[in-house]
Amino acid sequence: MRPQDGWTPFLEAGLASAEAVGDPDAQSRTRALLGRILHEEGRHAEALVHLEKAPGLAALAGDLTSEAIAVVNRAVVLDATGECARARALMAEAVALADRTGHPSTQVPTLQHLAEPRPRPPIRPRRHPAHDSPVPV
């Protein structure tokens, strides 16, 4: 199933149910996934609304796995929207949380996201001021 297959309404209904029963772990998990799906749909601002709340709800529930996943999802969206420094800091936080879980199924994807290459600006050759020719780098 892909995000465009209509997950959003179901996740929104699930979130409403989790809020109605006061389950912070279910709220965190649902917000983390909903944020990720909204991001994939290009709805970054809406995604961040959910992803800002998800880690705190997971911490309230005492679920390190949910917290790590929520932080990773938030970092992915921030990175995609150009907030790379903030995203890197969050990814380091997510790795620390994942390590505390002791679960490879949480640790590996977190490290994988941390290691993903980021686009970098092109390197431009420096010019020598005396002859306006490229200087070997």
Side-chain angles (χ1 to χ4, degrees), residues 65-137:
T65 300
S66 291
E67 190 174 357
I69 291 166
V71 172
V72 165
N73 288 356
R74 184 174 168 206
V76 166
V77 175
L78 289 171
D79 189 54
T81 58
E83 293 190 50
C84 300
R86 200 166 151 215
R88 277 190 296 277
L90 285 171
M91 201 58 77
E93 178 185 333
V95 168
L97 287 165
D99 284 346
R100 288 176 45 207
T101 69
H103 297 118
S105 61
T106 303
Q107 293 168 306
V108 170
T110 305
L111 290 169
Q112 199 170 9
H113 278 292
L114 184 64
E116 284 179 354
R118 305 293 189 273
R120 297 180 187 199
I123 298 173
R124 297 197 172 120
R126 295 178 297 161
R127 300 264 176 206
H128 188 281
H131 13 91
D132 197 32
S133 61
V135 174
V137 182

